[in-house]
Amino acid sequence: MKNLLNQKQMRSADAFTIKNKEILSVDLMESASRAFVKAFLQEVPEKATSIAILCGKGNNGGDGLAIARILKDSGYSGVSVYLVNFSAKETEEYTINLKRLEDLWFPLTAVNTAADLPDLKEKVIIDAILGSGLNAVLEGPYLQLVESVNALNRQVIAVDVPTGFPAEGPLKKEGVYLKADLVICFQRPKINFFFPESVQALKRFTVVPIGLDEEFIQNCDSPYRLIEGPDLTGLVKPRAPFSHKGTYGHALIVAGQQQTMGAALLSAHACLHAGAGLTTLSIPESGLTALNTRLPEVMYLDRADLIPEKTNKFSAIAAGPGLGTAEGSIAILQGLLKLKVPLILDADALNMMGDKPELLKQLSSGSVLTPHMKEFDHLFGDHDSWWERLETAREKALELGCVIVLKNQYTFIIDLTGKVTVNTTGNAGMAQGGMGDVLTGLIASFAAQGYTANEAACIACYLHGKAGDELAETQVSISASDLTGRVSKTLKGLIK
Ligand SMILES: NC(=O)C1=CN([C@@H]2O[C@H](COP(=O)(O)OP(=O)(O)OC[C@H]3O[C@@H](n4cnc5c(N)ncnc54)[C@H](OP(=O)(O)O)[C@@H]3O)[C@@H](O)[C@H]2O)[C@@H](O)CC1
Ligand SMILES: [K+]
């Protein structure tokens, strides 16, 4: 998994690379700027496009100056450079790159106050004003400049990070950032890119390698990492010769009410397709006809049989989808907690715990909670920012000894030690009811097959999104049933 670093660690990686690879800082800047231009070429292939590069006086601005030169060398004919001279000091790498441009007689426009910015006519704006060196919210001329650039509504491509956007830490509601269509980011994405508040600053990002020492980065002590397909290859086991249904575990899913039987069926269907040897569903008796008709492979357990003697054969137990929150459902949840086995809890099971927080204390270690934002705040209190929400999730995972799957466009899987794995698979086509029920079924399936709670959650989240991404190649929207129909094929692609 790729470690995600904070900016202090990123600066150490920069210093380590310069020292150990015997590369000059200005050459690292050149490498970063070349990597930027390579990605920029994909976005803006038309060489006659007019481009304005706004450069601050730090290394982000230094990148901007190097980018101007490299773009010109690459055949771009309409590049203009604006020197944003709001700070007194400039970095050495900036000075060197400025000199290189001056030597080429490159036309440069000085912007000494925000009012100096000419009426920009260029089609594309490259934002190299401030990067990861940001140390406070924008104010004064920087704020004025950013607001006037935002008002232009041009295509903006930011170098490393949009001006004013902090790479990590709580994002303040009142924060003003330069709004970028795309951020071409160096070596690793910033942690704040994964929070929903980032839409105020960027529509999307792409990461380019710039030659920083990967071994150093991977050895940094960071609580955040990214999960990628190759991480699962080797972890997901192939079906073994001479294996039988007993080899792949027995999952129990406790879900559904008369009006919400679909949630239970979707969950069990997903559990089946992700390879559990046996799947049993505990639903109200009124759902039996639906179960037998829709899912003949899935077995049934009466709600009255949710007792130790009848449940000790299950290798994983999930509860919540469509379960309701009425008295009867609370009794079911309390009964499950008394079994003293790890549980996978979603939806109404989480809502009931939010209503009765004392139940959280009864959770067995190794349980998995899969809240979306509202469910999370109902459980653990309101949060002003996603950064703070994730910090709470890390504390609670540690305190409760459970895995928390905090669901959003990018899902955060927090393990028992408080480490965060970010999943990036998935797409807007999957924004349909039933998706959460499917995810619960997938986690239950992998837990039943013997993966640890954290492994089960990571495999399930990645697979869920990846199957959706594959379907999105030919579909606009993806139903929960479509997704379930795909997971086994996607899973095959993850096995060595
Ligand atoms: N290893 C890597 O990742 C590599 C990174 N590289 C590049 O370096 C960039 C980081 O460069 P950087 O450290 O020089 O900082 P940068 O963002 O240019 O700004 C610093 C200036 O801004 C000022 N300033 C700060 N906040 C402010 C505010 N709120 N309002 C007003 N002013 C503010 C601050 O002034 P000060 O407060 O210190 O007086 C200082 O003058 C990074 O994003 C990437 O593009 C690559 O070249 C190669 C490898
Ligand atoms: K920038």
Side-chain angles (χ1 to χ4, degrees), residues 7 10-11 13-14 25 28-29 32 57-61 63 87 89 91 129-139 142 159-161 186 190 210 212:
Q7 287 322 292
M10 210 58 182
R11 275 194 292 278
D14 184 280
S25 181
L28 195 57
M29 182 175 277
K57 293 175 85 172
N59 279 353
N60 197 248
D63 289 340
S87 296
K89 56 180 189 212
T91 60
I129 306 170
L130 296 176
S132 60
L134 183 84
N135 51 31
V137 290
L138 295 181
E139 49 186 38
Y142 283 102
V159 179
D160 201 28
V161 60
F186 297 148
K190 314 296 178 202
I210 63 167
L212 294 183

Side-chain angles (χ1 to χ4, degrees), residues 108-122:
L108 303 164
T109 306
V111 180
N112 297 324
T113 67
D116 274 358
L117 186 73
D119 184 16
L120 293 183
K121 295 279 185 285
E122 288 84 352

